[in-house]
């Protein structure tokens, strides 16, 4: 649904109140203590598929109810994101993630909110890994699947692998108002049975393979019937391809995104089902495709605007409607070039 300016203002007020409280709190970051929520401000809630009650989780709340801590060093950050139980981890300044033996991918435990302070919080050199270790033998959600994670208001760059990787039946993840660039592989890859995820109000730029949804053409056992993801109000600012590239998932809801100067926007393959709605494509060679690689996908398109594009949107078949899962109110596609660049990325919550 629409995210009007009131929500952005409310988010900024929440951050300001938390920072003010921390300035007077006596507990140091090594021993966090719970902080009460601001008495007159309602907590932010995820929308899209991340808001759906499913798999024993009532929407996505992240670290709500846990301590609020601030990480200003690599050691603090890696400690906090790996702790069990709910925790709100505020990131201050630039944190360099080491490569080490993990190729720079660092695990995030369940029930975490990771949020940047101000407009300068940055993770560089590595990425965040949300999920259990990969295994082809696991074909249904395990009891200990990673879940309930919020990542907001952070700049990610320079990872030696993915900037964010979500895998192995992880569910209820909200990735919102971030900036992604210059990763060696994916910006936000979602695969191996992960489910009920929203990727919203992010800016992707100076990056090649942006959003992978679905592991590969042979992974139907894990991915078919899952990978329900909402992508809305993202700015694909000359990010080259995979915006997203989809296999097996249904429904995937791609609405109110702004595409500018991309080789292709959306690819639906391996019988995936995509609803493409209210997006604006400017100078995109292939805005959306169902004939890509592997088996054909399915795609329903409505109210999309194409300007200076070389090919039309390819459509095929029918797709389960996102409204069967959640309510939303999209902007008109003509509004997207003004609304999305003004609101996407860091420093806007």
């Amino acid at each position: 649904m629409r995210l009007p300016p009131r929500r952005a203002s409310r988010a900024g007020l929440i951050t300001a109140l938390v920072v003010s409280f921390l300035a007077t709190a006596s507990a140091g970051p090594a021993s966090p203590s719970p902080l009460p929520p601001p008495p007159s401000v309602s907590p932010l809630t995820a929308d899209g598929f991340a808001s759906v009650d499913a798999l024993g989780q009532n929407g996505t709340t992240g670290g709500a109810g846990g301590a609020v801590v601030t990480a200003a060093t690599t050691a603090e950050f890696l400690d906090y994101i790996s702790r069990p139980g709910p925790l709100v981890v505020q990131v201050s300044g630039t944190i360099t993630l080491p490569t080490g033996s993990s190729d720079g991918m660092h695990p995030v435990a369940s029930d975490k909110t990771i949020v940047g302070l101000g407009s300068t919080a940055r993770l560089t050199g590595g990425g965040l890994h949300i999920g259990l270790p990969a295994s082809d033998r696991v074909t249904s959600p395990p009891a200990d699947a990673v879940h309930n994670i919020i990542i907001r208001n952070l700049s990610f760059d320079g990872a030696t692998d993915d900037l964010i990787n979500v895998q192995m039946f992880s569910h209820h993840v909200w990735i919102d108002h971030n900036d992604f660039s210059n990763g060696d592989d994916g910006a936000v890859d979602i695969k191996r049975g992960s489910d009920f995820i929203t990727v919203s109000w992010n800016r992707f730029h100076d990056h090649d393979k942006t959003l992978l949804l679905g592991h590969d053409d042979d992974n139907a056992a894990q991915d078919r019937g899952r990978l329900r993801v909402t992508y809305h109000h993202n700015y694909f600012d000359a990010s080259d391809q995979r915006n997203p590239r989809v296999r097996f998932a249904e429904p995937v809801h791609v609405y109110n995104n702004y595409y500018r100067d991309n080789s292709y926007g959306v690819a639906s393959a391996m019988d995936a089902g995509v609803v493409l709605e209210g997006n604006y494509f400017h100078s995109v060679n292939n805005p959306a495709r169902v004939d890509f690689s592997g088996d054909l996908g399915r795609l329903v398109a409505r109210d999309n605007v194409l300007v200076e594009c070389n090919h039309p949107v390819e459509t095929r078949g029918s797709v389960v409607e996102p409204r069967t899962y959640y309510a939303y109110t999209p902007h008109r596609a003509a509004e997207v070039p003004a609304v999305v660049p003004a609101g996407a990325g860091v420093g806007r919550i």
Side-chain angles (χ1 to χ4, degrees):
M1 63 183 182
R2 289 191 185 180
L3 298 179
R6 289 192 302 273
R7 177 170 290 185
S9 298
R10 184 174 61 189
L13 179 56
I14 293 172
T15 300
L17 288 170
V18 170
V19 171
S20 175
F21 190 100
L22 286 171
T24 58
S26 60
S31 302
S33 57
L35 296 179
S40 60
V41 180
S42 299
L44 289 175
T45 55
D47 58 10
F49 274 112
S51 71
V52 175
D53 295 350
L55 301 175
Q57 176 67 34
N58 296 328
T60 303
T61 57
V68 177
V69 297
T70 299
T73 69
T74 300
E76 289 174 339
F77 179 76
L78 295 180
D79 173 26
Y80 293 149
I81 67 172
S82 64
R83 291 189 182 189
L87 194 66
V88 176
V89 182
Q90 299 183 135
V91 178
S92 177
T94 295
I95 291 178
T96 300
L97 299 175
T99 301
S101 61
S102 65
D103 201 21
M105 300 303 296
H106 299 277
V108 180
S110 296
D111 303 312
K112 297 292 177 293
T113 295
I114 305 173
V115 59
L117 293 175
S119 60
T120 60
R122 174 182 173 222
L123 300 179
T124 187
L128 300 182
H129 175 80
I130 300 171
L132 300 172
S135 172
D136 293 335
R137 295 189 299 273
V138 181
T139 57
S140 60
D144 59 346
V146 178
H147 62 279
N148 194 29
I149 291 174
I150 296 172
I151 300 173
R152 306 188 80 209
N153 201 43
L154 286 164
S155 292
F156 292 80
D157 66 79
T160 54
D161 195 343
D162 299 329
L163 296 168
I164 296 179
N165 175 56
V166 184
Q167 71 173 29
M168 288 308 295
F169 303 95
S170 296
H171 60 93
H172 290 90
V173 179
W174 185 27
I175 299 170
D176 177 74
H177 278 97
N178 302 289
D179 185 285
F180 295 95
S181 64
N182 290 308
D184 275 4
D185 196 358
V188 178
D189 284 1
I190 301 169
K191 56 196 180 186
R192 292 185 177 273
S194 298
D195 217 352
F196 297 105
I197 296 168
T198 297
V199 180
S200 57
W201 293 99
N202 303 286
R203 180 181 175 228
F204 300 93
H205 61 99
D206 297 298
H207 194 88
D208 182 16
K209 299 175 181 178
T210 311
L211 303 172
L212 177 67
L213 182 58
H215 179 55
D216 63 27
D217 290 356
D218 298 321
N219 205 51
Q222 290 180 328
D223 286 341
R224 191 184 300 279
R226 301 183 177 95
L227 302 178
R228 284 163 283 203
V229 180
T230 304
Y231 300 96
H232 76 83
H233 292 91
N234 298 290
Y235 184 12
F236 296 107
D237 186 6
S239 57
D240 189 50
Q241 59 177 313
R242 297 186 180 181
N243 300 299
R245 189 238 197 272
V246 184
R247 297 178 177 99
F248 298 114
E250 183 182 9
V252 179
H253 194 193
V254 181
Y255 80 93
N256 282 166
N257 300 285
Y258 183 35
Y259 294 84
R260 187 193 68 82
D261 195 20
N262 321 101
S263 63
Y264 78 82
V266 180
S268 177
M270 303 306 295
D271 198 39
V274 175
V275 173
L276 187 74
E277 177 178 16
N279 302 283
Y280 195 102
F281 298 89
H282 182 263
S283 187
V284 180
N285 183 40
N286 274 290
R289 307 179 65 180
V290 296
D291 187 358
F292 189 65
S293 66
D295 296 340
L296 297 176
R298 291 170 289 123
L299 190 145
V300 170
R302 52 182 176 252
D303 187 36
N304 299 286
V305 172
L306 279 62
V307 177
E308 297 180 14
C309 297
N310 293 327
H311 301 279
V313 169
E314 297 177 2
T315 60
R316 176 177 177 266
S318 61
V319 180
V320 173
E321 280 293 329
R323 290 189 194 280
T324 64
Y325 290 89
Y326 57 84
Y328 67 99
T329 304
H331 286 93
R332 293 182 301 109
E335 299 173 307
V336 165
V339 170
V340 171
V346 299
R348 278 109 185 249
I349 62 172

